[in-house]
Amino acid sequence: MSRWFIVLAGGLFGAGITISGMANPAKVQNFLDVAGIWDPSLALVMGTALLIATPGFSLVFKMSSPKYAEKFSLPTRKDIDGKLLLGALLFGIGWALSGLCPAPALVALLTGGSSFFIFLTAMFAGMVLHRFVFKA
């Protein structure tokens, strides 16, 4: 049952990304271009996601354990360090330049565009490089 739920949730998430335009790099870049051709429609997408997710998280955290796992796996670190700031900076720069972040890039890859393949290749190369540099 849990595998079907994961497939359904992933398909719903991918459909939402596609319908909202978040898999379209130009739409994302126009959202980030507040001094130029600003497209505020993705703010509506993000706000709607918060309206749906916030009560959902509230309900989930009232449960004693998750439905499809043995226990909750939540981050324990609360500090902000240089690695976190650098990662956030690199993510933001990459998002602004490419108009993509990981999930929309995976969804957009289904269109067959080579630029999405190049983005994902670079992203995975960065993950491998991080593993070697920081011995995670």
Side-chain angles (χ1 to χ4, degrees), residues 34-80:
V34 293
I37 310 169
W38 186 53
D39 179 358
S41 63
L42 290 186
L44 179 63
V45 171
M46 292 179 211
T48 303
L50 280 172
L51 286 174
I52 293 169
T54 301
F57 274 105
S58 177
L59 290 172
V60 166
F61 288 132
K62 289 180 182 174
M63 299 168 49
S64 59
S65 66
K67 189 165 180 84
Y68 299 113
E70 292 180 24
K71 64 177 187 161
F72 287 107
S73 298
L74 300 171
T76 55
R77 288 188 61 177
K78 306 281 187 208
D79 61 319
I80 297 174

mmCIF file of all heavy atoms in Angstrom, residues 34-80:
data_model
loop_
_atom_site.group_PDB
_atom_site.id
_atom_site.type_symbol
_atom_site.label_atom_id
_atom_site.label_comp_id
_atom_site.label_asym_id
_atom_site.label_seq_id
_atom_site.Cartn_x
_atom_site.Cartn_y
_atom_site.Cartn_z
ATOM 1 N N VAL A 34 12.137 40.839 -10.197
ATOM 2 C CA VAL A 34 11.215 41.846 -9.655
ATOM 3 C C VAL A 34 11.462 43.234 -10.255
ATOM 4 O O VAL A 34 10.583 44.088 -10.209
ATOM 5 C CB VAL A 34 11.273 41.908 -8.114
ATOM 6 C CG1 VAL A 34 10.744 40.632 -7.510
ATOM 7 C CG2 VAL A 34 12.675 42.195 -7.626
ATOM 8 N N ALA A 35 12.635 43.462 -10.821
ATOM 9 C CA ALA A 35 12.934 44.774 -11.413
ATOM 10 C C ALA A 35 12.600 44.824 -12.900
ATOM 11 O O ALA A 35 12.659 45.880 -13.510
ATOM 12 C CB ALA A 35 14.410 45.114 -11.208
ATOM 13 N N GLY A 36 12.239 43.680 -13.483
ATOM 14 C CA GLY A 36 11.965 43.631 -14.919
ATOM 15 C C GLY A 36 10.553 43.167 -15.199
ATOM 16 O O GLY A 36 9.583 43.765 -14.744
ATOM 17 N N ILE A 37 10.442 42.059 -15.916
ATOM 18 C CA ILE A 37 9.137 41.507 -16.296
ATOM 19 C C ILE A 37 8.660 40.568 -15.185
ATOM 20 O O ILE A 37 8.667 39.355 -15.331
ATOM 21 C CB ILE A 37 9.240 40.740 -17.630
ATOM 22 C CG1 ILE A 37 9.934 41.588 -18.677
ATOM 23 C CG2 ILE A 37 7.875 40.302 -18.109
ATOM 24 C CD1 ILE A 37 10.315 40.826 -19.930
ATOM 25 N N TRP A 38 8.243 41.140 -14.063
ATOM 26 C CA TRP A 38 7.886 40.323 -12.909
ATOM 27 C C TRP A 38 6.571 39.600 -13.136
ATOM 28 O O TRP A 38 5.579 40.181 -13.549
ATOM 29 C CB TRP A 38 7.806 41.195 -11.655
ATOM 30 C CG TRP A 38 7.595 40.392 -10.410
ATOM 31 C CD1 TRP A 38 8.349 39.345 -9.990
ATOM 32 C CD2 TRP A 38 6.568 40.561 -9.438
ATOM 33 N NE1 TRP A 38 7.865 38.856 -8.806
ATOM 34 C CE2 TRP A 38 6.766 39.588 -8.444
ATOM 35 C CE3 TRP A 38 5.506 41.446 -9.305
ATOM 36 C CZ2 TRP A 38 5.943 39.465 -7.331
ATOM 37 C CZ3 TRP A 38 4.694 41.327 -8.195
ATOM 38 C CH2 TRP A 38 4.910 40.348 -7.224
ATOM 39 N N ASP A 39 6.561 38.294 -12.856
ATOM 40 C CA ASP A 39 5.364 37.455 -12.955
ATOM 41 C C ASP A 39 5.031 36.948 -11.549
ATOM 42 O O ASP A 39 5.665 36.016 -11.066
ATOM 43 C CB ASP A 39 5.633 36.288 -13.907
ATOM 44 C CG ASP A 39 4.438 35.359 -14.046
ATOM 45 O OD1 ASP A 39 3.398 35.582 -13.392
ATOM 46 O OD2 ASP A 39 4.541 34.390 -14.816
ATOM 47 N N PRO A 40 4.062 37.551 -10.869
ATOM 48 C CA PRO A 40 3.767 37.185 -9.485
ATOM 49 C C PRO A 40 2.965 35.889 -9.328
ATOM 50 O O PRO A 40 2.674 35.485 -8.201
ATOM 51 C CB PRO A 40 2.954 38.381 -8.977
ATOM 52 C CG PRO A 40 2.253 38.890 -10.183
ATOM 53 C CD PRO A 40 3.222 38.661 -11.328
ATOM 54 N N SER A 41 2.628 35.216 -10.416
ATOM 55 C CA SER A 41 1.747 34.053 -10.323
ATOM 56 C C SER A 41 2.330 32.917 -9.486
ATOM 57 O O SER A 41 1.579 32.157 -8.866
ATOM 58 C CB SER A 41 1.374 33.549 -11.717
ATOM 59 O OG SER A 41 2.517 33.108 -12.417
ATOM 60 N N LEU A 42 3.658 32.777 -9.441
ATOM 61 C CA LEU A 42 4.232 31.702 -8.632
ATOM 62 C C LEU A 42 4.102 31.985 -7.136
ATOM 63 O O LEU A 42 4.127 31.057 -6.328
ATOM 64 C CB LEU A 42 5.686 31.447 -9.022
ATOM 65 C CG LEU A 42 5.878 30.814 -10.396
ATOM 66 C CD1 LEU A 42 7.340 30.475 -10.639
ATOM 67 C CD2 LEU A 42 5.021 29.588 -10.584
ATOM 68 N N ALA A 43 3.928 33.240 -6.755
ATOM 69 C CA ALA A 43 3.655 33.552 -5.346
ATOM 70 C C ALA A 43 2.322 32.936 -4.945
ATOM 71 O O ALA A 43 2.167 32.442 -3.821
ATOM 72 C CB ALA A 43 3.654 35.057 -5.120
ATOM 73 N N LEU A 44 1.351 32.938 -5.852
ATOM 74 C CA LEU A 44 0.068 32.296 -5.592
ATOM 75 C C LEU A 44 0.249 30.786 -5.426
ATOM 76 O O LEU A 44 -0.351 30.171 -4.548
ATOM 77 C CB LEU A 44 -0.907 32.598 -6.734
ATOM 78 C CG LEU A 44 -2.294 31.988 -6.622
ATOM 79 C CD1 LEU A 44 -3.033 32.523 -5.406
ATOM 80 C CD2 LEU A 44 -3.105 32.250 -7.883
ATOM 81 N N VAL A 45 1.102 30.191 -6.253
ATOM 82 C CA VAL A 45 1.384 28.758 -6.150
ATOM 83 C C VAL A 45 1.999 28.451 -4.785
ATOM 84 O O VAL A 45 1.574 27.520 -4.089
ATOM 85 C CB VAL A 45 2.341 28.308 -7.280
ATOM 86 C CG1 VAL A 45 2.818 26.883 -7.063
ATOM 87 C CG2 VAL A 45 1.671 28.456 -8.627
ATOM 88 N N MET A 46 2.983 29.249 -4.378
ATOM 89 C CA MET A 46 3.648 29.012 -3.093
ATOM 90 C C MET A 46 2.698 29.249 -1.916
ATOM 91 O O MET A 46 2.704 28.494 -0.947
ATOM 92 C CB MET A 46 4.879 29.903 -2.980
ATOM 93 C CG MET A 46 5.975 29.536 -3.945
ATOM 94 S SD MET A 46 7.359 30.672 -3.757
ATOM 95 C CE MET A 46 8.001 30.698 -5.395
ATOM 96 N N GLY A 47 1.881 30.288 -2.012
ATOM 97 C CA GLY A 47 0.918 30.567 -0.951
ATOM 98 C C GLY A 47 -0.107 29.452 -0.818
ATOM 99 O O GLY A 47 -0.450 29.037 0.297
ATOM 100 N N THR A 48 -0.591 28.946 -1.949
ATOM 101 C CA THR A 48 -1.538 27.835 -1.927
ATOM 102 C C THR A 48 -0.897 26.592 -1.324
ATOM 103 O O THR A 48 -1.525 25.884 -0.535
ATOM 104 C CB THR A 48 -2.040 27.540 -3.354
ATOM 105 O OG1 THR A 48 -2.620 28.726 -3.894
ATOM 106 C CG2 THR A 48 -3.062 26.424 -3.364
ATOM 107 N N ALA A 49 0.355 26.346 -1.671
ATOM 108 C CA ALA A 49 1.061 25.196 -1.096
ATOM 109 C C ALA A 49 1.158 25.322 0.424
ATOM 110 O O ALA A 49 0.959 24.342 1.151
ATOM 111 C CB ALA A 49 2.452 25.080 -1.712
ATOM 112 N N LEU A 50 1.444 26.526 0.909
ATOM 113 C CA LEU A 50 1.499 26.738 2.360
ATOM 114 C C LEU A 50 0.138 26.530 3.012
ATOM 115 O O LEU A 50 0.052 25.948 4.104
ATOM 116 C CB LEU A 50 2.015 28.142 2.670
ATOM 117 C CG LEU A 50 3.519 28.327 2.600
ATOM 118 C CD1 LEU A 50 3.875 29.801 2.743
ATOM 119 C CD2 LEU A 50 4.215 27.514 3.674
ATOM 120 N N LEU A 51 -0.921 27.008 2.373
ATOM 121 C CA LEU A 51 -2.271 26.838 2.928
ATOM 122 C C LEU A 51 -2.655 25.362 3.037
ATOM 123 O O LEU A 51 -3.369 24.961 3.947
ATOM 124 C CB LEU A 51 -3.298 27.576 2.072
ATOM 125 C CG LEU A 51 -3.315 29.088 2.203
ATOM 126 C CD1 LEU A 51 -4.286 29.707 1.192
ATOM 127 C CD2 LEU A 51 -3.701 29.497 3.615
ATOM 128 N N ILE A 52 -2.175 24.553 2.109
ATOM 129 C CA ILE A 52 -2.483 23.121 2.128
ATOM 130 C C ILE A 52 -1.542 22.373 3.078
ATOM 131 O O ILE A 52 -1.969 21.514 3.854
ATOM 132 C CB ILE A 52 -2.401 22.532 0.706
ATOM 133 C CG1 ILE A 52 -3.521 23.122 -0.156
ATOM 134 C CG2 ILE A 52 -2.472 21.008 0.727
ATOM 135 C CD1 ILE A 52 -3.399 22.825 -1.625
ATOM 136 N N ALA A 53 -0.262 22.693 3.033
ATOM 137 C CA ALA A 53 0.726 21.941 3.806
ATOM 138 C C ALA A 53 0.677 22.235 5.303
ATOM 139 O O ALA A 53 0.881 21.333 6.111
ATOM 140 C CB ALA A 53 2.129 22.229 3.274
ATOM 141 N N THR A 54 0.405 23.464 5.690
ATOM 142 C CA THR A 54 0.441 23.824 7.106
ATOM 143 C C THR A 54 -0.532 23.000 7.949
ATOM 144 O O THR A 54 -0.118 22.398 8.950
ATOM 145 C CB THR A 54 0.213 25.340 7.286
ATOM 146 O OG1 THR A 54 1.245 26.030 6.564
ATOM 147 C CG2 THR A 54 0.256 25.737 8.741
ATOM 148 N N PRO A 55 -1.811 22.906 7.583
ATOM 149 C CA PRO A 55 -2.693 22.043 8.383
ATOM 150 C C PRO A 55 -2.284 20.566 8.302
ATOM 151 O O PRO A 55 -2.431 19.820 9.269
ATOM 152 C CB PRO A 55 -4.078 22.244 7.770
ATOM 153 C CG PRO A 55 -3.980 23.418 6.886
ATOM 154 C CD PRO A 55 -2.548 23.622 6.548
ATOM 155 N N GLY A 56 -1.771 20.169 7.143
ATOM 156 C CA GLY A 56 -1.319 18.782 6.992
ATOM 157 C C GLY A 56 -0.199 18.444 7.955
ATOM 158 O O GLY A 56 -0.216 17.397 8.612
ATOM 159 N N PHE A 57 0.806 19.319 8.053
ATOM 160 C CA PHE A 57 1.901 19.097 8.999
ATOM 161 C C PHE A 57 1.375 19.082 10.426
ATOM 162 O O PHE A 57 1.818 18.293 11.254
ATOM 163 C CB PHE A 57 2.988 20.164 8.845
ATOM 164 C CG PHE A 57 3.995 19.835 7.789
ATOM 165 C CD1 PHE A 57 3.977 20.488 6.567
ATOM 166 C CD2 PHE A 57 4.958 18.868 8.012
ATOM 167 C CE1 PHE A 57 4.910 20.184 5.586
ATOM 168 C CE2 PHE A 57 5.894 18.550 7.047
ATOM 169 C CZ PHE A 57 5.864 19.212 5.821
ATOM 170 N N SER A 58 0.443 19.959 10.724
ATOM 171 C CA SER A 58 -0.133 20.008 12.063
ATOM 172 C C SER A 58 -0.782 18.678 12.425
ATOM 173 O O SER A 58 -0.593 18.154 13.525
ATOM 174 C CB SER A 58 -1.156 21.142 12.133
ATOM 175 O OG SER A 58 -1.769 21.172 13.393
ATOM 176 N N LEU A 59 -1.522 18.112 11.494
ATOM 177 C CA LEU A 59 -2.162 16.815 11.735
ATOM 178 C C LEU A 59 -1.139 15.694 11.872
ATOM 179 O O LEU A 59 -1.255 14.831 12.745
ATOM 180 C CB LEU A 59 -3.142 16.486 10.603
ATOM 181 C CG LEU A 59 -4.407 17.331 10.529
ATOM 182 C CD1 LEU A 59 -5.172 17.022 9.245
ATOM 183 C CD2 LEU A 59 -5.284 17.077 11.743
ATOM 184 N N VAL A 60 -0.142 15.695 10.996
ATOM 185 C CA VAL A 60 0.874 14.630 11.019
ATOM 186 C C VAL A 60 1.647 14.634 12.333
ATOM 187 O O VAL A 60 1.887 13.580 12.926
ATOM 188 C CB VAL A 60 1.833 14.773 9.813
ATOM 189 C CG1 VAL A 60 3.071 13.922 9.992
ATOM 190 C CG2 VAL A 60 1.125 14.400 8.532
ATOM 191 N N PHE A 61 2.018 15.809 12.820
ATOM 192 C CA PHE A 61 2.829 15.862 14.032
ATOM 193 C C PHE A 61 2.028 15.558 15.296
ATOM 194 O O PHE A 61 2.602 15.390 16.365
ATOM 195 C CB PHE A 61 3.552 17.202 14.144
ATOM 196 C CG PHE A 61 4.666 17.336 13.141
ATOM 197 C CD1 PHE A 61 4.788 18.472 12.370
ATOM 198 C CD2 PHE A 61 5.574 16.315 12.961
ATOM 199 C CE1 PHE A 61 5.821 18.580 11.451
ATOM 200 C CE2 PHE A 61 6.600 16.415 12.040
ATOM 201 C CZ PHE A 61 6.722 17.554 11.276
ATOM 202 N N LYS A 62 0.717 15.448 15.181
ATOM 203 C CA LYS A 62 -0.091 15.007 16.316
ATOM 204 C C LYS A 62 -0.116 13.478 16.412
ATOM 205 O O LYS A 62 -0.530 12.927 17.417
ATOM 206 C CB LYS A 62 -1.513 15.551 16.205
ATOM 207 C CG LYS A 62 -1.596 17.041 16.453
ATOM 208 C CD LYS A 62 -3.003 17.556 16.329
ATOM 209 C CE LYS A 62 -3.017 19.065 16.533
ATOM 210 N NZ LYS A 62 -4.333 19.634 16.285
ATOM 211 N N MET A 63 0.338 12.811 15.340
ATOM 212 C CA MET A 63 0.372 11.342 15.331
ATOM 213 C C MET A 63 1.555 10.854 16.159
ATOM 214 O O MET A 63 2.580 11.519 16.251
ATOM 215 C CB MET A 63 0.501 10.826 13.892
ATOM 216 C CG MET A 63 -0.643 11.219 12.985
ATOM 217 S SD MET A 63 -0.349 10.919 11.210
ATOM 218 C CE MET A 63 0.244 9.255 11.166
ATOM 219 N N SER A 64 1.432 9.667 16.744
ATOM 220 C CA SER A 64 2.538 9.115 17.534
ATOM 221 C C SER A 64 3.639 8.559 16.634
ATOM 222 O O SER A 64 4.809 8.544 17.016
ATOM 223 C CB SER A 64 2.026 8.027 18.474
ATOM 224 O OG SER A 64 1.404 6.992 17.738
ATOM 225 N N SER A 65 3.284 8.115 15.434
ATOM 226 C CA SER A 65 4.276 7.637 14.461
ATOM 227 C C SER A 65 3.696 7.825 13.065
ATOM 228 O O SER A 65 2.481 7.895 12.885
ATOM 229 C CB SER A 65 4.622 6.160 14.710
ATOM 230 O OG SER A 65 3.488 5.349 14.454
ATOM 231 N N PRO A 66 4.567 7.891 12.051
ATOM 232 C CA PRO A 66 4.060 8.048 10.687
ATOM 233 C C PRO A 66 3.321 6.793 10.217
ATOM 234 O O PRO A 66 3.532 5.693 10.741
ATOM 235 C CB PRO A 66 5.317 8.294 9.856
ATOM 236 C CG PRO A 66 6.471 8.026 10.730
ATOM 237 C CD PRO A 66 6.002 7.891 12.124
ATOM 238 N N LYS A 67 2.475 6.966 9.239
ATOM 239 C CA LYS A 67 1.668 5.849 8.741
ATOM 240 C C LYS A 67 2.503 4.834 7.961
ATOM 241 O O LYS A 67 2.263 3.641 8.045
ATOM 242 C CB LYS A 67 0.544 6.397 7.869
ATOM 243 C CG LYS A 67 -0.479 5.361 7.466
ATOM 244 C CD LYS A 67 -1.722 6.018 6.926
ATOM 245 C CE LYS A 67 -2.760 5.027 6.513
ATOM 246 N NZ LYS A 67 -3.606 4.568 7.596
ATOM 247 N N TYR A 68 3.487 5.299 7.201
ATOM 248 C CA TYR A 68 4.245 4.402 6.325
ATOM 249 C C TYR A 68 5.726 4.306 6.692
ATOM 250 O O TYR A 68 6.553 4.027 5.841
ATOM 251 C CB TYR A 68 4.095 4.838 4.867
ATOM 252 C CG TYR A 68 2.661 4.792 4.391
ATOM 253 C CD1 TYR A 68 1.978 5.945 4.063
ATOM 254 C CD2 TYR A 68 1.986 3.579 4.301
ATOM 255 C CE1 TYR A 68 0.656 5.905 3.633
ATOM 256 C CE2 TYR A 68 0.673 3.522 3.881
ATOM 257 C CZ TYR A 68 0.011 4.684 3.554
ATOM 258 O OH TYR A 68 -1.286 4.632 3.135
ATOM 259 N N ALA A 69 6.053 4.536 7.953
ATOM 260 C CA ALA A 69 7.432 4.385 8.428
ATOM 261 C C ALA A 69 7.386 4.046 9.917
ATOM 262 O O ALA A 69 6.355 4.208 10.572
ATOM 263 C CB ALA A 69 8.227 5.667 8.204
ATOM 264 N N GLU A 70 8.508 3.564 10.429
ATOM 265 C CA GLU A 70 8.554 3.179 11.838
ATOM 266 C C GLU A 70 8.573 4.392 12.764
ATOM 267 O O GLU A 70 8.004 4.372 13.845
ATOM 268 C CB GLU A 70 9.778 2.308 12.105
ATOM 269 C CG GLU A 70 9.700 0.950 11.428
ATOM 270 C CD GLU A 70 10.930 0.112 11.708
ATOM 271 O OE1 GLU A 70 11.610 0.348 12.726
ATOM 272 O OE2 GLU A 70 11.195 -0.793 10.896
ATOM 273 N N LYS A 71 9.293 5.444 12.334
ATOM 274 C CA LYS A 71 9.390 6.638 13.171
ATOM 275 C C LYS A 71 9.573 7.863 12.284
ATOM 276 O O LYS A 71 9.899 7.751 11.115
ATOM 277 C CB LYS A 71 10.546 6.521 14.156
ATOM 278 C CG LYS A 71 11.903 6.438 13.489
ATOM 279 C CD LYS A 71 13.017 6.386 14.508
ATOM 280 C CE LYS A 71 14.346 6.470 13.770
ATOM 281 N NZ LYS A 71 15.425 6.850 14.608
ATOM 282 N N PHE A 72 9.355 9.040 12.876
ATOM 283 C CA PHE A 72 9.590 10.280 12.165
ATOM 284 C C PHE A 72 11.096 10.512 12.048
ATOM 285 O O PHE A 72 11.836 10.231 12.984
ATOM 286 C CB PHE A 72 8.967 11.471 12.906
ATOM 287 C CG PHE A 72 7.475 11.513 12.825
ATOM 288 C CD1 PHE A 72 6.687 11.207 13.930
ATOM 289 C CD2 PHE A 72 6.844 11.862 11.642
ATOM 290 C CE1 PHE A 72 5.310 11.250 13.847
ATOM 291 C CE2 PHE A 72 5.468 11.907 11.559
ATOM 292 C CZ PHE A 72 4.696 11.591 12.666
ATOM 293 N N SER A 73 11.544 10.987 10.905
ATOM 294 C CA SER A 73 12.955 11.318 10.695
ATOM 295 C C SER A 73 13.050 12.821 10.464
ATOM 296 O O SER A 73 12.911 13.303 9.340
ATOM 297 C CB SER A 73 13.518 10.564 9.495
ATOM 298 O OG SER A 73 13.464 9.184 9.706
ATOM 299 N N LEU A 74 13.267 13.546 11.538
ATOM 300 C CA LEU A 74 13.316 15.002 11.463
ATOM 301 C C LEU A 74 14.725 15.492 11.755
ATOM 302 O O LEU A 74 15.448 14.883 12.550
ATOM 303 C CB LEU A 74 12.339 15.611 12.479
ATOM 304 C CG LEU A 74 10.882 15.226 12.279
ATOM 305 C CD1 LEU A 74 10.039 15.700 13.457
ATOM 306 C CD2 LEU A 74 10.356 15.806 10.986
ATOM 307 N N PRO A 75 15.128 16.591 11.142
ATOM 308 C CA PRO A 75 16.462 17.129 11.441
ATOM 309 C C PRO A 75 16.537 17.582 12.892
ATOM 310 O O PRO A 75 15.554 18.060 13.459
ATOM 311 C CB PRO A 75 16.602 18.316 10.489
ATOM 312 C CG PRO A 75 15.249 18.591 9.954
ATOM 313 C CD PRO A 75 14.411 17.385 10.166
ATOM 314 N N THR A 76 17.707 17.411 13.474
ATOM 315 C CA THR A 76 17.895 17.797 14.878
ATOM 316 C C THR A 76 18.721 19.068 15.016
ATOM 317 O O THR A 76 18.637 19.724 16.042
ATOM 318 C CB THR A 76 18.573 16.663 15.660
ATOM 319 O OG1 THR A 76 19.802 16.314 15.012
ATOM 320 C CG2 THR A 76 17.667 15.437 15.722
ATOM 321 N N ARG A 77 19.509 19.398 14.001
ATOM 322 C CA ARG A 77 20.346 20.603 14.094
ATOM 323 C C ARG A 77 19.506 21.852 13.946
ATOM 324 O O ARG A 77 18.610 21.925 13.105
ATOM 325 C CB ARG A 77 21.425 20.591 13.014
ATOM 326 C CG ARG A 77 22.502 19.562 13.300
ATOM 327 C CD ARG A 77 23.645 19.672 12.352
ATOM 328 N NE ARG A 77 24.289 20.970 12.457
ATOM 329 C CZ ARG A 77 25.359 21.305 11.769
ATOM 330 N NH1 ARG A 77 25.901 20.449 10.930
ATOM 331 N NH2 ARG A 77 25.892 22.503 11.902
ATOM 332 N N LYS A 78 19.810 22.840 14.748
ATOM 333 C CA LYS A 78 19.074 24.103 14.713
ATOM 334 C C LYS A 78 19.988 25.282 14.377
ATOM 335 O O LYS A 78 19.514 26.384 14.169
ATOM 336 C CB LYS A 78 18.410 24.377 16.074
ATOM 337 C CG LYS A 78 17.537 23.248 16.572
ATOM 338 C CD LYS A 78 16.210 23.263 15.895
ATOM 339 C CE LYS A 78 15.318 22.216 16.548
ATOM 340 N NZ LYS A 78 14.326 21.677 15.723
ATOM 341 N N ASP A 79 21.302 25.037 14.343
ATOM 342 C CA ASP A 79 22.247 26.135 14.125
ATOM 343 C C ASP A 79 22.372 26.466 12.636
ATOM 344 O O ASP A 79 22.034 25.673 11.777
ATOM 345 C CB ASP A 79 23.618 25.788 14.707
ATOM 346 C CG ASP A 79 24.225 24.553 14.056
ATOM 347 O OD1 ASP A 79 23.483 23.584 13.809
ATOM 348 O OD2 ASP A 79 25.441 24.547 13.800
ATOM 349 N N ILE A 80 22.827 27.667 12.383
ATOM 350 C CA ILE A 80 23.088 28.133 11.015
ATOM 351 C C ILE A 80 24.599 28.292 10.891
ATOM 352 O O ILE A 80 25.198 29.099 11.587
ATOM 353 C CB ILE A 80 22.374 29.466 10.743
ATOM 354 C CG1 ILE A 80 20.864 29.268 10.852
ATOM 355 C CG2 ILE A 80 22.762 30.010 9.377
ATOM 356 C CD1 ILE A 80 20.061 30.547 10.736
#
